[in-house]
Amino acid sequence: MMETKTLITAEELYEMSSDSFRYELVKGELVEMGLTGGMHGKVVAKVTIRLGEYVLAQKLGEVFASDTGFVLTRDPDTVRDADVAFVSKERIPQGSLPEGFVPFEPDLAVEVVSPNDRWSDVQQKLALYLNAGTKVVWLVDIENKKVYIYRSLTDLRILTEADTLTGEDVLPGFSCPVAELFA
């Protein structure tokens, strides 16, 4: 006898009562997200501050912290939350967002690799963003002090502490020394 899985929708996930865990949704199935630790939080905060200040000063759109939730696919639904994300003002419907999850992918998703992350899970997450239409994904690797910039699964640049992270065409004019993220 075959077992049928009950899939969850983005709306059902949003309405779920909060317990002691955070969840994301991948193809209708709940994925439990754990706590990440101090260094991860510090690096996420640095990226958020640098991007946030720049986007606000240039009036480019909105920067989002984790727990936001972006709907990447429907039927079955996938809702992921990047550690930091950016959406250009041109893509925000009538200048404001609806209640609930953001109903589309970000222009930029930033994932800071946690000590407990499996590389295969990180790769799957970045593939979901890119396949949904996210223009750029930055993977920030604390352990190796590198930033991996993905425009597709095959278009990859790797930056070290000696390099400068730029916003390229997604955030024109933005720059940040990679070493500052890990200081």
Side-chain angles (χ1 to χ4, degrees):
M1 190 165 166
M2 226 174 160
E3 216 178 288
T4 306
K5 289 184 181 181
T6 302
L7 300 180
I8 305 292
T9 66
E11 292 73 24
E12 289 168 328
L13 175 62
Y14 186 76
E15 294 299 323
M16 285 175 60
S17 63
S18 179
D19 56 21
S20 59
F21 298 103
R22 290 180 27 225
Y23 295 98
E24 292 181 328
L25 195 61
V26 177
K27 297 180 182 174
E29 295 185 31
L30 291 175
V31 176
E32 187 178 304
M33 305 305 292
L35 297 175
T36 56
M39 187 60 168
H40 179 272
K42 176 181 164 181
V43 172
V44 169
K46 285 182 177 193
V47 174
T48 304
I49 290 166
R50 292 299 302 259
L51 283 177
E53 287 175 342
Y54 185 78
V55 168
L56 183 64
Q58 302 299 317
K59 299 179 176 140
L60 297 174
E62 297 293 340
V63 172
F64 298 88
S66 67
D67 295 341
T68 299
F70 290 88
V71 179
L72 302 180
T73 64
R74 288 287 191 175
D75 198 23
D77 294 358
T78 295
V79 178
R80 300 308 299 247
D81 74 78
D83 289 316
V84 185
F86 164 74
V87 175
S88 66
K89 65 182 176 188
E90 294 80 21
R91 296 189 57 231
I92 298 173
Q94 291 127 10
S96 66
L97 293 165
E99 189 64 32
F101 298 126
V102 178
F104 50 83
E105 77 286 349
D107 293 298
L108 167 69
V110 182
E111 288 293 332
V112 177
V113 181
S114 305
N116 55 351
D117 281 340
R118 290 193 317 245
W119 195 251
S120 60
D121 292 340
V122 172
Q123 292 291 312
Q124 178 198 36
K125 193 170 186 178
L126 84 88
L128 287 168
Y129 277 109
L130 293 168
N131 290 336
T134 298
K135 294 176 183 175
V136 179
V137 178
W138 294 346
L139 288 185
V140 181
D141 180 353
I142 297 170
E143 184 178 339
N144 297 303
K145 297 185 176 178
K146 294 181 180 178
V147 177
Y148 300 83
I149 301 171
Y150 288 88
R151 287 193 163 272
S152 73
L153 294 175
T154 58
D155 184 355
L156 166 66
R157 283 187 31 240
I158 302 172
L159 304 180
T160 68
E161 288 185 285
D163 297 316
T164 298
L165 179 62
T166 66
E168 301 172 13
D169 60 331
V170 176
L171 289 165
F174 173 81
S175 69
C176 173
V178 171
E180 280 188 18
L181 301 178
F182 304 114

